[in-house]
Amino acid sequence: MRGKPVDHIEGEASMTDFQFKAYIELRDKYDALVQENNLLRQKEIAGDQDGMTDYQFRRYEKLREKFEEMSHELSLLREENIKLQIQTEMLKALTADRK
């Protein structure tokens, strides 16, 4: 690589001044967009701490639905338990009368 510029690659032509300026503009715009994207991500993470993420909300909804189903089932089981207790008391009363 004697006598050639350090940034010169075999088979590639060097950039013109116009191409280099265009490259610099595009690079600066890209860097600005990357920084903006990073700031938005940081704000999103900070905002999620105040509220729930979508995943947390979906998980909450599933748990709430399961809780409601179990509450309904529990109330049905309590009703059934009360009916069985009444039947037990009635059978005890009937068997006591027979003796």
Side-chain angles (χ1 to χ4, degrees):
M1 298 221 17
R2 267 188 163 162
K4 294 183 181 178
V6 177
D7 62 342
H8 182 74
I9 299 174
E10 190 70 31
E12 285 192 15
S14 60
M15 282 194 257
T16 63
D17 289 340
F18 176 76
Q19 289 172 327
F20 186 70
K21 286 179 184 177
Y23 164 76
I24 296 294
E25 286 178 22
L26 285 174
R27 185 194 65 192
D28 292 344
K29 287 179 183 178
Y30 174 78
D31 289 342
L33 288 173
V34 168
Q35 288 178 353
E36 183 181 353
N37 192 21
N38 288 337
L39 288 174
L40 290 173
R41 284 183 181 166
Q42 289 174 354
K43 286 180 184 178
E44 182 179 310
I45 291 170
D48 288 345
Q49 293 172 353
D50 296 337
M52 284 192 271
T53 62
D54 289 340
Y55 172 78
Q56 290 171 330
F57 183 73
R58 286 192 304 269
R59 184 77 177 134
Y60 164 78
E61 285 294 314
K62 286 180 183 177
L63 289 172
R64 186 184 57 79
E65 288 173 7
K66 186 166 183 115
F67 170 78
E68 289 176 0
E69 289 173 11
M70 292 176 79
S71 295
H72 180 68
E73 186 176 342
L74 181 63
S75 65
L76 292 176
L77 289 172
R78 284 182 178 158
E79 288 176 18
E80 186 68 27
N81 189 23
I82 291 171
K83 289 178 186 176
L84 290 172
Q85 286 176 353
I86 292 172
Q87 289 177 356
T88 304
E89 292 297 321
M90 289 174 65
L91 285 172
K92 284 180 185 178
L94 288 173
T95 55
D97 290 343
R98 290 185 187 174
K99 291 182 179 182

